[in-house]
Amino acid sequence: MANADFNKKNVRIIGSGHSWTGLIVTNDILVSLDNWQGILQVDPHGKWVEVKSGTKLLKLGNDLWNLGYSMENLGDIDVQSIAGALNTGTHGTGRNFGTLATQIHSLTIALPTGGLVECSETENRDLFKAAQISLGSLGIITRYKLKVVKAFYLEYTSKLGKVQDAVDNFDKYNHEYRNYEFYWFPYTRHVQLKLVSETNKPIQDGGIMRDFNDVVIENLGYYVLSEWSRTHKKFYKPFSRFSARGVPKGTWRNHSNKIFATKRWVRFKEMEYNVPKEKFHECMNEIMDTIHKRDFRVHMPLEVRYVKADDIMISPANGRDAVYIAVHQYNGMDYLEYFKTIEEIFWKYDGRPHYGKINTMKKEQFANTYANWGKFCEIRNQCDPKGIMLNEYLRSIFA
Ligand SMILES: Cc1cc2nc3c(=O)[nH]c(=O)nc-3n(C[C@H](O)[C@H](O)[C@H](O)COP(=O)(O)OP(=O)(O)OC[C@H]3O[C@@H](n4cnc5c(N)ncnc54)[C@H](O)[C@@H]3O)c2cc1C
């Protein structure tokens, strides 16, 4: 970073490059920590595990399991680096679980002003609350101590449900299941319900048939039909209905990290906002009505998840239990008008975007939405007074 300063270059850090926003775009210096992976040490009391910040979630999950630990919650895929996932506020679902960044016990950061600083709830607290979700804008995070729990197994049931039931009984399902989410298929009354609970029953992973279903039906088959939908203008509604009927039906049990992760090989664009849980029903109903009224050409489902409130400075779930609603569009199909329309609905309901996913918010709007945006920007300026960590996109939201 000293060289970058000397040469008037900016520095960005890449995890796995799975964010849609311009977080890592640079013509200057792009740092990858792909060669910095693995577990460094385990707390003798079993409360935390220190990991190298470039560790990919797949490796982390398996390494933790071999030591007898799990992360309490995870998102949908496991190809991200731990630092990349934490920095954008990546989340899973479940009323008892915050964003993954709530699982940070402490972290070590290399600041552009020089030196490594360790911070936690009790040491350099302001820096810690800022760095937990900081879009790689404060410096390079080199290590995390992550809170872990004893390794556990999960049972996952996928089935077809009715959208009105999934929305109306959102709270009930969130109390009944450890991790509840649903996918709504536009132009249908149907959802895929994903119901997950802890279990002590023996592993049932579906063996070769599950792999066949994941690879051939959910990915290859979905890709072929999506291409058909992209090239045939009138196909989106029948395809959405067809997809709803084809949702996987069954129950599987496995290591927690294996149940959380799914294979996502079909390329798409995504925008995801959360709204306060009290506003979810109204917001979701308006989104569904709008898609139908505007007749957007979309066959990919909307995903709905629950995240518990936290106190991380610029976390989208700061100060409120939140329901995340994600809209998807298949790559190559027009998404601008669709996303813009839905984004305006999110704004009406006090929505806050996922930092890794498409959105058009700028500094002023963020500052109006987050009580601590100004404080975060101050801390950012102290850590990086010359703006070395800022590219054009980050300047548009922080500078
Ligand atoms: C198919 C797919 C599925 C997804 N599923 C989910 C999901 O279930 N839940 C969810 O919430 N999100 C999900 N996402 C979004 C994804 O988790 C985030 O965009 C995440 O940030 C990507 O991680 P990454 O390792 O690719 O990070 P990148 O996109 O490479 O980087 C993200 C940010 O982290 C910063 N960063 C990386 N390493 C460091 C470091 N060492 N120090 C400081 N900053 C660093 C980068 O500079 C950047 O600002 C999904 C994305 C895709 C493509």
Side-chain angles (χ1 to χ4, degrees):
M1 280 190 278
N3 276 344
D5 181 17
F6 185 69
N7 293 312
K8 304 264 175 288
K9 303 255 186 224
N10 72 47
V11 175
R12 294 303 305 137
I13 319 141
I14 182 169
S16 295
H18 270 55
S19 300
W20 280 270
T21 40
L23 296 167
I24 57 171
V25 178
T26 181
N27 288 323
D28 292 349
I29 299 165
L30 187 61
V31 176
S32 162
L33 296 173
D34 274 2
N35 290 331
W36 178 241
Q37 295 200 49
I39 291 180
L40 289 160
Q41 56 164 328
V42 181
D43 169 37
H45 306 292
K47 297 274 185 250
W48 51 257
V49 167
E50 188 171 38
V51 301
K52 299 178 184 174
S53 61
T55 311
K56 305 288 174 174
L57 294 185
L58 171 63
K59 175 173 170 51
L60 179 59
N62 290 334
D63 289 0
L64 283 177
W65 189 269
N66 293 335
L67 291 168
Y69 297 109
S70 292
M71 288 178 72
E72 65 170 15
N73 206 18
L74 285 164
D76 270 357
I77 55 164
D78 57 11
V79 300
Q80 306 98 316
S81 71
I82 183 68
L86 296 171
N87 261 284
T88 56
T90 293
H91 61 89
T93 188
R95 75 185 176 92
N96 293 319
F97 308 106
T99 62
L100 303 193
T102 59
Q103 298 176 39
I104 305 172
H105 172 277
S106 63
L107 61 88
T108 306
I109 184 165
L111 294 174
T113 45
L116 283 174
V117 181
E118 191 168 344
C119 56
S120 67
E121 287 288 345
T122 51
E123 196 182 353
N124 298 314
R125 187 169 188 276
D126 275 357
L127 177 62
F128 179 64
K129 298 318 294 179
Q132 278 177 290
I133 296 178
S134 50
L135 320 185
S137 72
L138 306 182
I140 301 177
I141 296 169
T142 56
R143 298 159 178 239
Y144 287 101
K145 283 182 185 156
L146 296 174
K147 297 174 201 162
V148 286
V149 295
K150 202 166 155 283
F152 61 96
Y153 292 85
L154 288 174
E155 178 173 274
Y156 159 49
T157 296
S158 166
K159 62 183 185 185
L160 192 63
K162 287 270 164 30
V163 68
Q164 219 50 56
D165 172 51
V167 173
D168 290 352
N169 294 312
F170 192 70
D171 276 345
K172 177 171 100 62
Y173 284 124
N174 269 299
H175 277 82
E176 273 174 31
Y177 294 95
R178 183 186 195 278
N179 310 96
Y180 167 64
E181 68 176 290
F182 69 86
Y183 285 89
W184 171 63
F185 295 86
Y187 309 106
T188 79
R189 295 199 187 109
H190 290 112
V191 292
Q192 178 188 8
L193 293 170
K194 295 180 89 173
L195 313 169
V196 176
S197 302
E198 274 191 52
T199 184
N200 291 319
K201 293 184 197 157
I203 289 181
Q204 176 186 305
D205 73 353
I208 197 162
M209 281 319 289
R210 176 93 202 271
D211 291 342
F212 178 82
N213 188 73
D214 278 359
V215 175
V216 178
I217 300 184
E218 285 205 41
N219 282 289
L220 189 60
Y222 200 68
Y223 165 72
V224 170
L225 287 166
S226 293
E227 272 299 295
W228 186 264
S229 179
R230 184 178 68 80
T231 48
H232 294 74
K233 284 206 157 145
K234 295 201 169 131
F235 198 64
Y236 58 103
K237 285 184 191 170
F239 179 38
S240 185
R241 289 182 201 122
F242 184 73
S243 307
R245 268 186 234 120
V247 302
K249 293 161 196 89
T251 296
W252 299 274
R253 291 186 289 274
N254 214 329
H255 304 176
S256 53
N257 54 311
K258 293 189 175 162
I259 290 289
F260 286 126
T262 45
K263 293 185 178 71
R264 292 264 180 269
W265 296 342
V266 173
R267 298 291 177 104
F268 55 88
K269 303 251 180 329
E270 181 170 343
M271 173 177 69
E272 184 178 42
Y273 270 70
N274 80 40
V275 294
K277 82 167 182 167
E278 298 72 24
K279 299 188 179 179
F280 160 63
H281 294 87
E282 216 183 323
C283 178
M284 187 69 200
N285 284 324
E286 184 168 342
I287 290 173
M288 293 192 292
D289 282 353
T290 305
I291 290 175
H292 288 170
K293 273 189 203 132
R294 295 285 305 271
D295 198 10
F296 286 115
R297 198 175 147 220
V298 55
H299 64 264
M300 293 196 109
L302 283 76
E303 184 179 16
V304 178
R305 293 179 276 184
Y306 192 119
V307 174
K308 189 177 153 189
D310 64 44
D311 65 352
I312 297 170
M313 213 170 274
I314 60 163
S315 166
N318 180 293
R320 68 194 203 188
D321 278 6
V323 183
Y324 279 76
I325 304 171
V327 296
H328 306 91
Q329 179 61 294
Y330 181 61
N331 258 13
M333 290 173 73
D334 185 28
Y335 68 94
L336 287 172
E337 184 62 23
Y338 174 40
F339 282 14
K340 188 79 208 99
T341 306
I342 305 302
E343 188 174 40
E344 279 167 13
I345 300 176
F346 285 136
W347 290 343
K348 263 175 62 182
Y349 293 94
D350 210 3
R352 295 173 178 170
H354 185 308
Y355 293 111
K357 302 187 182 178
I358 294 169
N359 69 86
T360 66
M361 296 241 312
K362 293 284 180 285
K363 184 179 178 187
E364 215 167 78
Q365 255 175 307
F366 278 114
N368 288 334
T369 313
Y370 289 87
N372 289 317
W373 200 261
K375 184 169 180 189
F376 179 89
C377 292
E378 261 172 45
I379 294 174
R380 213 215 65 74
N381 284 336
Q382 284 159 17
C383 294
D384 177 27
K386 296 187 177 163
I388 290 171
M389 304 306 298
L390 297 182
N391 63 7
E392 197 183 327
Y393 174 69
L394 291 174
R395 220 168 269 120
S396 78
I397 64 174
F398 292 136

